[in-house]
């Protein structure tokens, strides 16, 4: 059984981020390409680091977890860090004068850099390190992460900590000096590009809510309802669709 931990989180936070997991819904060419890219990243014999990039709300965290649990390391140690939440926790207490706020920010950045280094130094060799929202890290911490990734890439595959990351935008500092030999990038298309998949996505959420509510009724959309969903651009992607349906 996989051992998993999450830095800076309560047990309920960990359950929320690790237990729930879903695959890609839909039969469009975009969904098929994404599904195949994610599976290839999981099964990669070289166990290259993985960067999953997509707009906010595109279920990147699920894809990240599926890469780990679909890999040969699924039974090895796994640690998950929510970079955005980690930085936010470190910034608590900032306030007062401008000088105090600046000092608190600098202290927060320093402590986050230390957290990143500690995660690599303390994690077991051969395990997986999942980093959520690396684009929210300050530049100093992104550089520390880049250095750590380069160091791991020089190790034998069996001893290497495999890092799987998510980001809502390009992160040049993190991906600097990497090529396809040491880093695999999986790009998740936004929902507005995958309009043909919206019906499948919506029905997935309806089924999920029926299970949560122990409701035996089966809800479906009329053709007019599906067209109405497909006419919207969904800037918040799958997360927005789920909120609207709820």
């Amino acid at each position: 059984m996989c051992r998993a931990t999450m830095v800076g989180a309560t047990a309920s936070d960990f359950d929320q981020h690790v237990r729930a997991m879903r695959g890609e819904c839909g039969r469009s060419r975009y969904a098929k390409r994404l599904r195949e890219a994610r599976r290839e990243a999981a099964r990669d014999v070289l166990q290259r680091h993985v960067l999953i990039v997509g707009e906010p709300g595109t279920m990147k965290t699920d894809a990240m977890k599926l890469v780990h649990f679909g890999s040969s390391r699924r039974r090895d140690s796994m640690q998950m860090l929510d970079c955005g939440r980690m930085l936010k926790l470190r910034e608590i207490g900032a306030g007062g004068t401008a000088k105090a706020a600046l000092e608190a920010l600098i202290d927060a950045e320093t402590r986050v850099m230390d957290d990143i280094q500690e995660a690599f130094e303390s994690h077991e060799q051969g395990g997986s390190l999942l980093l959520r929202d690396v684009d929210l890290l300050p530049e100093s911490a992104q550089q520390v992460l880049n250095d750590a990734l380069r160091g791991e890439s020089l190790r034998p595959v069996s001893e290497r900590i495999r890092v799987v990351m998510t980001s809502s935008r390009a992160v040049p500092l993190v991906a600097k000096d990497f090529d396809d030999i040491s880093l695999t990038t999986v790009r998740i298309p936004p929902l507005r590009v995958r309009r043909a998949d919206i019906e499948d996505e919506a029905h997935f959420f309806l089924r999920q809510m029926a299970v949560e509510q122990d409701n035996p009724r089966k809800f479906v959309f009329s053709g007019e309802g599906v067209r109405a969903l497909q006419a919207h651009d969904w800037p918040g992607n799958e997360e927005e669709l789920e909120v609207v349906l709820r």
Side-chain angles (χ1 to χ4, degrees):
M1 186 143 179
C2 161
R3 287 168 292 153
T5 56
M6 186 172 178
V7 171
T10 65
S12 61
D13 290 327
F14 175 75
D15 289 344
Q16 177 184 356
H17 288 98
V18 175
R19 284 185 181 175
M21 191 163 52
R22 51 159 290 188
E24 302 83 3
C25 294
R27 291 157 285 183
S28 72
R29 67 179 185 276
Y30 298 103
K32 291 177 181 177
R33 288 173 186 168
L34 172 58
R35 198 174 291 121
E36 185 59 32
R38 189 257 301 164
R39 288 173 177 169
E40 286 183 1
R43 299 167 182 167
D44 182 13
V45 293
L46 297 179
Q47 293 292 282
R48 285 168 285 198
H49 304 309
V50 181
L51 175 62
I52 300 172
V53 182
E55 291 182 4
T58 49
M59 302 299 183
K60 297 183 294 296
T61 302
D62 283 324
M64 173 176 66
K65 290 183 288 187
L66 285 167
V67 167
H68 168 73
F69 289 112
S71 75
S72 59
R73 301 184 181 219
R74 57 186 173 276
R75 297 185 183 277
D76 297 331
S77 62
M78 185 268 279
Q79 185 177 18
M80 183 174 181
L81 283 78
D82 188 329
C83 298
R85 185 173 186 275
M86 184 170 60
L87 182 62
K88 191 172 183 178
L89 286 173
R90 292 291 182 256
E91 289 178 345
I92 290 177
T97 65
K99 180 181 178 181
L102 179 60
E103 290 175 348
L105 179 61
I106 293 173
D107 179 61
E109 290 192 10
T110 301
R111 293 172 66 184
V112 168
M113 284 191 290
D114 292 341
D115 287 343
I116 294 292
Q117 288 178 320
E118 183 181 354
F120 279 90
E121 292 169 0
S122 63
H123 196 52
E124 296 180 18
Q125 291 183 346
S128 297
L129 182 60
L130 310 187
L131 303 179
R132 185 182 184 198
D133 296 333
V134 295
D135 54 306
L136 299 182
L137 290 172
E139 290 187 0
S140 53
Q142 288 188 21
Q143 184 60 60
V144 168
L145 175 56
N146 175 269
D147 294 341
L149 289 171
R150 284 207 311 270
E152 290 298 323
S153 297
L154 298 175
R155 293 174 179 265
V157 172
S158 60
E159 299 178 6
R160 185 185 308 160
I161 296 173
R162 191 186 195 196
V163 183
V164 185
M165 305 166 281
T166 70
S167 175
S168 294
R169 57 186 174 84
V171 276
L173 272 177
V174 173
K176 185 177 64 175
D177 303 326
F178 282 97
D179 52 29
D180 292 341
I181 297 176
S182 51
L183 178 70
T184 298
T185 301
V186 176
R187 302 187 186 280
I188 301 182
L191 198 54
R192 64 181 175 277
V193 172
R194 301 170 42 224
R195 293 183 193 271
D197 298 328
I198 290 177
E199 181 177 5
D200 288 331
E201 292 278 5
H203 281 128
F204 167 82
F205 288 126
L206 287 181
R207 289 192 300 271
Q208 185 180 51
M209 286 181 270
V211 171
E212 292 171 1
Q213 299 168 11
D214 194 21
N215 188 340
R217 295 179 62 190
K218 182 179 180 180
F219 294 95
V220 295
F221 288 98
S222 65
E224 183 181 359
V226 171
R227 288 190 292 273
L229 293 175
Q230 292 174 336
H232 185 54
D233 280 342
W234 301 106
N237 295 292
E238 285 91 338
E239 287 186 4
E240 180 187 359
L241 176 61
E242 181 180 11
V243 169
V244 169
L245 292 177
R246 285 186 182 278

